[in-house]
Structure formats: C-alpha cells, structure tokens
Amino acid sequence: MYEGQWVNDKAQGNGIYTHQDGSKYEGEWQDDKQHGHGVDIWPDGAKYVGDYRAGRKNGEGKFSWADGSHYEGQFENNDIHGKGVYQWGDGRRFDGSWVKNRMHGSGTFLWMDGRSYQGQYQSDQKHGSGIFKWPDGRQYDGQWMGGKQHGVGTYSTKEGEKRTGEWEDGKRIRWTDGEANGTLNNDSGNAQTNSTDY
C-alpha cells in the first residue's frame, strides 16, 4: 500500500510504501521507484537509511541487521560496494574497500582481543601484502594468499627482534636471514587465523 505524492499516476515525490509482510519504505520516489533518500525497515529488525537510485540502494547509506551487525558506507545496485565500515555483532570491524559485498582491496580489520590486520584483501580473504599485529606486540609484515601467510615476510617479537622468512599456507617454512637469536628460536611467527575469522 502506498501513501504519498503522485504524478501521472506514478509515485513521485515523498511517500510511504508498506508491504504485506510488514516491511516499509519511507522516502523519495521517482517514476514508481525509490529514488533519492529513504528509509527501509524489515519485520526482523533490519533497517537501511540512505540513498536510492532507480529502485536500488546506490550511494551512501547505513544498513543495520537484527544481530547487531551494521555497515556504513557506499552501495551500488543493492550491494555493499566501494568504501565503508562493517562492524559485526561480536565487535569485529573492517574499514576499507568492498566489491559486491566482499572485502576486496585495502583495509584494516580489528578484532576484539586486540589483534589487527592492515593490508590487502581479495574476496573476503587476506591476499597480497599486509601487516598482522598481535596484542602482545608481535608483528608479521609480508605476503598473504587465500587468508594465510604465504610468501616472504618479516616477523618481529614483542622484544623487537626481527627475522625474515618464508611462509607457506600459514606456516613458516624457513628463516632466510641466518640463525635465529633469543626468543625467535621457538617462535613460529604463524598468525593462526582462519577463513571464518577474516
């Protein structure tokens, strides 16, 4: 059911459309389509506030889900696409580039336990070059593939010792710059992340 302004028997201007399932859009219309700024609310508690173009989410907006997750940033053709910040209900947070609802490009991912990753993503996985930091001060700065350390990287201990090595599928294969010293003898330098953790 639509209540609002009409032009030539089409929704045009400001109006409210309520669907049979209880979802509702309130905002601007053009030629019977959501166009301009508006608010969409769904029965499960999800909500979108932002820009529309020709009936689709396009431009800047904020989408909030019932589980407490929310995204604020750019949309294109109803997809999260461009620059934006996504925060999960459990507190994880990504600030960076998106392509068709996936983290893709450069960005920063923060975990509630103090871990962080700053670097490149491809299809929701760490891929390319990036820096992973542990809460205790350790750090890995190097290459990633498919969400895991893969290639050459530099590992730093919390005491500031640094070593360069090679990683494969998330595991260090070898140090490449001589003998290890101090705490590095027993430290793998593996990030221990998985695909669901990002």
Side-chain angles (χ1 to χ4, degrees):
M1 181 177 69
Y2 175 78
E3 296 179 27
Q5 297 173 316
W6 298 84
V7 173
N8 295 327
D9 208 29
K10 292 182 178 180
Q12 181 95 6
N14 290 299
I16 302 171
Y17 188 92
T18 304
H19 297 264
Q20 288 186 345
D21 65 2
S23 58
K24 181 172 72 172
Y25 169 82
E26 181 174 356
E28 296 177 292
W29 295 80
Q30 182 175 296
D31 291 329
D32 264 347
K33 294 180 179 179
Q34 299 147 303
H35 192 91
H37 188 79
V39 178
D40 244 325
I41 299 174
W42 288 267
D44 66 359
K47 181 179 181 180
Y48 173 77
V49 180
D51 298 328
Y52 284 85
R53 187 169 67 246
R56 292 178 171 266
K57 299 173 189 70
N58 276 286
E60 298 285 335
K62 181 176 181 179
F63 201 114
S64 303
W65 286 266
D67 67 357
S69 301
H70 57 86
Y71 168 83
E72 187 166 3
Q74 296 175 320
F75 288 81
E76 185 177 293
N77 291 325
N78 283 339
D79 290 328
I80 292 172
H81 192 93
K83 301 287 186 183
V85 179
Y86 191 110
Q87 182 157 328
W88 283 259
D90 62 11
R92 290 174 296 149
R93 183 177 189 269
F94 177 76
D95 183 348
S97 297
W98 297 81
V99 173
K100 294 187 180 295
N101 300 316
R102 293 180 178 269
M103 296 176 284
H104 195 96
S106 61
T108 300
F109 200 107
L110 303 175
W111 287 263
M112 287 294 287
D113 62 8
R115 291 175 295 153
S116 69
Y117 171 81
Q118 183 174 3
Q120 296 174 314
Y121 275 85
Q122 181 175 293
S123 296
D124 274 347
Q125 295 184 322
K126 303 174 196 72
H127 195 95
S129 60
I131 302 171
F132 186 94
K133 294 181 180 180
W134 286 264
D136 62 7
R138 292 176 295 143
Q139 174 178 298
Y140 169 84
D141 183 349
Q143 296 174 317
W144 298 76
M145 187 171 71
K148 298 178 180 180
Q149 295 156 288
H150 192 93
V152 177
T154 299
Y155 176 75
S156 305
T157 67
K158 56 186 177 182
E159 291 82 16
E161 297 179 67
K162 291 186 178 182
R163 293 301 307 275
T164 299
E166 291 181 11
W167 278 258
E168 186 174 298
D169 198 31
K171 296 180 180 179
R172 180 175 53 80
I173 303 303
R174 67 180 67 84
W175 295 120
T176 59
D177 59 355
E179 293 298 318
N181 297 313
T183 57
L184 275 166
N185 284 311
N186 301 314
D187 198 332
S188 69
N190 299 335
Q192 300 295 331
T193 63
N194 57 59
S195 61
T196 59
D197 198 32
Y198 303 109

